[in-house]
Amino acid sequence: MKLNLHVPSLLVAWAIFLVACATPQQTVVITPPAQETQTSLLPTFEPVPSSILDNGRMWTFEYAPVEFFAESYNFDPTEAWFERARMSAVRIPGCSGSFVSAHGLVMTNHHCARNQITQIGREGESTLDDGFYAVTLSDERKIEEYYVDQLVDIRDVTDLILDEVDAAPLEMQSSVRQEAIRRVQAQLSEEVAHYGDRQVQVVSLFNGGRYSAYIFRRFTDIRMVMAPELQIGYYGGDTDNFTYPRYNLDMTFFRVYVDDEPYQPEFFFPFAETGVKSGDAVFVIGNPGRTTRLNTVAQLAYTGTFNLPFRTSLFTRIIEGLEAFFEYDPTTDEAQQLRNTIFGLKNSQKLFGGQIRAHNDPYLMGRRVDNEQNFISALNQDPELRALYLPIIDRLAEIQEEKATLAPYSYMTLGLVPNSFATPALLQRAYFATLMKRNADNEALSENIKNQIKSVRNKHPQLEKELLITHLNYLQDGLGSGHPYILQLTNGRNFDVVADELIRYSAFATAERTLELLEDEAELANDPAIAYFATFGEQLFTNTDRSRALAQEENELQTRLGRGWFAVYGTSIPPDATFSPRIQDGIVAGYEYNGTFAPAYTTFYGLYDRHHSHVGEPEWALPDRWLPPTPSLNLSTPINFVSTNDIIGGNSGSPVVNINLEIVGLAFDGNVESMGSSTFILDERSARAVSVDVRGMIESLRHVYQATRIVEELESARK
């Protein structure tokens, strides 16, 4: 689950332009489900018995599940145990990690560190393909503009925020809430400013039912210590991704420095001397990215019917465009920079394909129906709660129905934001120029939009063409090839010709010509790229504006409903994930699949079997240093294992520890059975977290990479 577990890829999905995606396909025609009546555009599901733990086991440290852990795993987790767990774990950009020695050694996934592995390469080196190992301390290489965050303090700021919110009129509560959060965060930042290395983040829990201020210590001198080759860190490639059994050495080691010396943390996780066996309790400490387990059934139905399919189509088409550009000339700087982007997009493609299936699965959605009905029954027991929260559930359902009527227009401009890698610069400029013209009466807004247009950078001409074809394919997926708008855009020409003509005749094709065009209203109105958007008429903008307004209302209602969830269940359930530190419990366990049984762990024997069973297939070709296996390499050593821990995007790089808080694994993926459902429900039947086994890490470091210095450091940490 490299994207599922890796927020920088979800980064690709959410931070840059908020899109998602699914399995590869040539054409993605998006249609709502067939309905016997026109009363609803959304599917309905019959209830299936559920459990309160359907909401998951992503526990926060401020509401530590002491009794649940004690009863479930027969040990006494003290406050000191939770403190050590929290302080030994770290958060890195988009991923998770952990201190694993007394000298600031940090462990995370290889796929979390691809950009950094590439960055530290010197002229003539290919550190991503060939790997890197610092033989001595002085060989460790500084990573520019990178950081590691350690959660050092948690403050409950609920009353500071909700007291103000409750005192405000209903229509002002959203803005009051935002201002209160901003002020609390600013006040705490000033309070800890004397440290010089603190970052404060106010986190909404239970969708606004509670608020915590997380105070992180930020380390900014981070150096690369060891990374294996891409081929072994991503063994099996896209085909094996999100599968199990698995044979992947997805690990990387950094070191934190303070004052130019290795940092000596008070807390760290030592590597366990022995690994795990089936049935052992294990704990993942990481930063799960985002879940929707407190969403209503109506929200989930809309997501699976409209939101995910449209975003899926866009991702699929983007991958096609970027791959076509890479094949055109893989030696260009742009092509090389897109390499990691394509990796991430393909991960998300599988992930969101699974989500579409899960959001339409009668069993899983039936459990959510039952879960919601239980929640409503609890609200009905209290007249005050009933009056406050049942109208919100009803209104959220109405919003989903209205949003469904706005598609596909509300999705047709996805990705069209300044300097997005996902869309052509030409269309970015033209779309914002259209918005500028529509807002001409608002001088300040119009000027702001103009500045955004001017900020759009040129792309490589061939990349620009491929992305234009990408956008046309995306529109055709949503509208259908015979739609009048598609016919008007193409006038019988293929997309390749349409793209060429737009580049040739539109002044928006380059930043330089755009500057001239913005000063000539007559030419601006006649530009073919402006005509491109004019094809769709007023409905494109009215539907988009209405969809945006509904989304704002929905967000506010969901925040209010979160207080209802907390009022009913308190901390007996965990809040939705927010890419903030959590502890997630589970056990090591195989599972039934494909008519057989997946073992709890795999070994190096299986790794070499994959290699020899796929002769001539690059995804399973082992790096040179692995061939032939060195005689000292014990092929029976476990390399990966699976467990029932509840993980999601952002958990990539999370330490997997035993009851003694010793490293037994490194979480890097989820199996295909967990791929789609994990955002909105915990399904323990066969959903599993996949981790690199501590035994495989030590065995490969010692016998394949001859990384004696690191092995000795890890083993001495046990003492």
Side-chain angles (χ1 to χ4, degrees), residues 396-709:
L396 285 170
E398 293 170 358
I399 288 174
Q400 309 317 306
E401 293 289 353
E402 185 176 353
K403 282 164 52 180
T405 67
L406 301 175
Y409 297 94
S410 56
Y411 288 98
M412 289 169 66
T413 57
L414 276 178
L416 288 174
V417 295
N419 293 311
S420 167
F421 72 88
T423 50
L426 185 155
L427 291 187
Q428 292 171 19
R429 296 177 183 123
Y431 177 60
F432 274 76
T434 305
L435 294 178
M436 183 180 70
K437 183 179 178 182
R438 289 175 56 81
N439 290 278
D441 293 341
N442 187 330
E443 186 175 342
L445 178 58
S446 181
E447 188 63 26
N448 177 270
I449 295 173
K450 180 182 287 189
N451 289 333
Q452 291 188 68
I453 297 169
K454 292 178 179 179
S455 74
V456 176
R457 297 182 293 274
N458 291 332
K459 285 181 165 69
H460 187 286
Q462 186 64 29
L463 177 59
E464 187 78 348
K465 176 179 177 178
E466 297 297 348
L467 289 176
L468 279 166
I469 295 171
T470 287
H471 197 263
L472 287 162
N473 275 316
Y474 170 62
L475 294 180
Q476 182 171 271
D477 290 343
L479 295 169
S481 59
H483 195 283
Y485 292 160
I486 297 297
L487 299 178
Q488 186 175 340
L489 282 174
T490 61
N491 196 25
R493 301 161 298 173
N494 63 41
F495 290 169
D496 189 274
V497 172
V498 174
D500 281 336
E501 292 189 356
L502 274 171
I503 292 171
R504 182 180 304 119
Y505 296 117
S506 173
F508 289 112
T510 68
E512 296 73 24
R513 293 169 62 194
T514 297
L515 291 177
E516 299 173 6
L517 185 65
L518 291 175
E519 304 305 321
D520 189 332
E521 286 193 22
E523 288 296 321
L524 182 64
N526 293 321
D527 191 273
I530 295 293
Y532 184 95
F533 290 104
T535 299
F536 308 109
E538 186 64 20
Q539 196 171 7
L540 171 66
F541 300 97
T542 56
N543 283 24
T544 300
D545 290 345
R546 180 58 182 160
S547 181
R548 187 179 298 112
L550 288 172
Q552 292 173 349
E553 181 185 0
E554 182 177 351
N555 288 339
E556 175 61 21
L557 290 173
Q558 200 165 352
T559 297
R560 295 177 193 168
L561 187 61
R563 298 177 68 173
W565 279 98
F566 189 77
V568 170
Y569 295 109
T571 59
S572 65
I573 61 171
D576 266 323
T578 55
F579 192 53
S580 55
R582 303 291 178 95
I583 182 165
Q584 299 140 273
D585 60 289
I587 61 170
V588 177
Y591 60 97
E592 293 182 359
Y593 86 113
N594 199 28
T596 183
F597 193 83
Y601 62 83
T602 61
T603 70
F604 285 114
Y605 277 121
L607 173 72
Y608 283 94
D609 177 70
R610 294 291 278 172
H611 169 79
H612 290 293
S613 297
H614 294 278
V615 176
E617 299 181 54
E619 288 183 306
W620 296 280
L622 282 167
D624 290 343
R625 80 172 81 219
W626 287 79
L627 294 171
T630 176
S632 61
L633 181 66
N634 182 353
L635 298 182
S636 67
T637 304
I639 181 172
N640 292 161
F641 70 86
V642 283
S643 59
T644 62
N645 299 86
D646 182 16
I647 62 174
I648 192 71
N651 272 124
S652 282
S654 295
V656 186
V657 299
N658 58 23
I659 286 174
N660 298 320
L661 295 180
E662 299 168 325
I663 294 284
V664 294
L666 171 61
F668 72 91
D669 210 343
N671 63 353
V672 69
E673 288 82 358
S674 72
M675 185 172 62
S677 62
S678 55
T679 55
F680 70 91
I681 193 170
L682 174 59
D683 180 15
E684 287 190 301
R685 293 172 302 169
S686 55
R688 295 293 184 271
V690 187
S691 301
V692 188
D693 196 295
V694 66
R695 293 165 287 189
M697 287 189 277
I698 288 292
E699 189 74 7
S700 59
L701 285 170
R702 176 180 283 124
H703 297 289
V704 179
Y705 295 98
Q706 284 77 52
T708 307
R709 179 174 72 94

